[in-house]
Amino acid sequence: MSGRIIDGTALARRIRQEVKEQVDAFRRDAGRVPGLAVVLVGDDPASQVYVRTKERACGEVGIRSQRHHLPGDATQKEVLELVEGLGKDDTVDGILVQLPLPRGLDPQPILHAVPPAKDVDGFHPYNLGRLTESGEGIHPCTAAGVMELIRSTGVEIEGKRAVVIGRSTIVGKPTALLLLHANATVTVCHSRTADLAAHVREADIVVAAVGRPRFVRGDWIKPGAVVIDVGINRLDDGKLCGDVDFEGAKDVAGYITPVPGGVGPMTVAMLMRNTLAAARARG
Ligand code: NAD
């Protein structure tokens, strides 16, 4: 039996449509449109593509986006001053600092300078703390998208064994916390995990966020498992692939996300949702 492919593009489109309707209502009630400020430093081509994708999504749902582009040699102080200024700007509901920042800049103080109420990426320690404590606050977009994709299958999360591969603050840790709040039994695997395959073989839900092409093999997957592939890896021929060997895993998994067309569009849809929520909270 072939696993069902979870269509992240279609799910993200439905969520953007919902957000658009809610943005329209917000505009009527509040008399203004939600605003997202995107801070881009340097000329990393992948970051430029991501920023354009986010701006396009803003245009589609009716959020006003403004791009603040600093040169790659911008100083820590310059970036901090920009972010602090946006924090005080009343027309800005959400601030997104596109990562990675160029070498030489320390991302942590910059992310900490985003006021928690405008932290639509959910990376500020206040929001990460609320996520840890109660599952509340603004959730990091990719982790929130992973949860929506799992929920879209109809598979019950409670009581299931979930394995998250990767422990970054951006993806792995918040995803593990959201799964924990949904009452899964969660194992977080990482680069020092012994016998990764044995952990994955036990998992009813697998989330791969490693950054290595086709790293998770099809014969590691438990038959019927839900497999969410966060990885975005560019191959030598220019094509994108995930962290899971899709061809090997798709006939074993119950449900699996493709790359592209899985987690990627959901991350952007969740950013739209977070920005609207931040605007509503500010009134
Ligand atoms: P990261 O480099 O910060 O973290 C990678 C994690 O993988 C680390 O925690 C590390 O311990 C783990 N790891 C490395 N080698 C391993 C091994 N041999 N065995 C087990 N674990 C290992 O990366 P990240 O920011 O978490 O991103 C992970 C991937 O997800 C990347 O491909 C990135 O491009 C992608 N990503 C996609 C989206 C999206 O919207 N789809 C968003 C963010 C990141």
Side-chain angles (χ1 to χ4, degrees):
M1 190 198 89
S2 187
R4 268 183 260 175
I5 296 168
I6 309 172
D7 187 344
T9 304
L11 181 58
R13 193 181 306 122
R14 284 203 293 280
I15 291 171
R16 289 198 307 273
Q17 181 57 34
E18 273 169 34
V19 173
K20 182 182 179 340
E21 288 161 18
Q22 291 163 5
V23 166
D24 287 344
F26 175 83
R27 204 180 49 226
R28 282 194 301 274
D29 297 344
R32 66 185 190 91
V33 292
L36 174 69
V38 179
V39 175
L40 176 64
V41 188
D43 299 310
D44 176 57
S47 290
Q48 292 189 344
V49 172
Y50 292 141
V51 165
R52 271 201 300 276
T53 306
K54 290 166 187 174
E55 288 169 341
R56 205 176 315 124
C58 281
E60 194 186 318
V61 304
I63 290 174
R64 187 179 44 77
S65 69
Q66 42 172 283
R67 187 191 294 200
H68 298 267
H69 193 174
L70 293 178
D73 60 358
T75 63
Q76 183 86 15
K77 187 162 172 277
E78 284 166 338
V79 183
L80 269 174
E81 278 173 4
L82 172 61
V83 172
E84 283 163 5
L86 294 169
K88 292 181 192 130
D89 184 338
D90 264 348
T91 66
V92 172
D93 295 293
I95 302 171
L96 178 152
V97 179
Q98 184 63 44
L99 300 174
L101 291 168
R103 225 183 294 208
L105 292 177
D106 181 358
Q108 243 166 3
I110 294 168
L111 296 177
H112 294 190
V114 175
K118 296 189 178 186
D119 171 38
V120 286
D121 254 340
F123 296 156
H124 190 284
Y126 175 82
N127 284 314
L128 291 171
R130 290 193 72 195
L131 170 60
T132 306
E133 183 188 61
S134 60
E136 289 174 7
I138 302 177
H139 296 165
C141 302
T142 302
V146 167
M147 295 304 288
E148 289 287 340
L149 287 161
I150 298 170
R151 291 207 169 96
S152 78
T153 66
V155 170
E156 179 77 57
I157 298 174
E158 181 162 320
K160 294 287 160 53
R161 286 187 187 205
V163 164
V164 178
I165 317 172
R167 57 176 162 183
S168 70
T169 306
I170 292 173
V171 188
K173 278 186 208 153
T175 302
L177 285 165
L178 287 174
L179 284 163
L180 203 51
H181 285 299
N183 296 321
T185 300
V186 184
T187 302
V188 182
C189 297
H190 47 80
S191 53
R192 307 292 173 89
T193 296
D195 203 353
L196 176 66
H199 288 284
V200 176
R201 286 196 173 105
E202 297 283 308
D204 306 302
I205 298 167
V206 181
V207 180
V210 184
R212 291 185 174 211
R214 301 182 186 129
F215 174 70
V216 176
R217 288 175 22 191
D219 63 0
W220 297 0
I221 303 296
K222 180 175 169 180
V226 177
V227 179
I228 309 293
D229 191 348
V230 181
I232 303 176
N233 306 290
R234 192 161 297 276
L235 301 172
D236 290 340
D237 62 6
K239 288 195 180 130
L240 291 182
C241 86
D243 289 344
V244 178
D245 173 16
F246 184 81
E247 286 308 313
K250 73 178 189 337
D251 294 334
V252 191
Y255 297 87
I256 186 166
T257 57
V259 178
V263 176
M266 287 299 292
T267 296
V268 180
M270 294 298 113
L271 174 68
M272 299 301 108
R273 197 183 258 180
N274 282 353
T275 305
L276 171 65
R280 277 175 168 164
R282 294 181 65 242

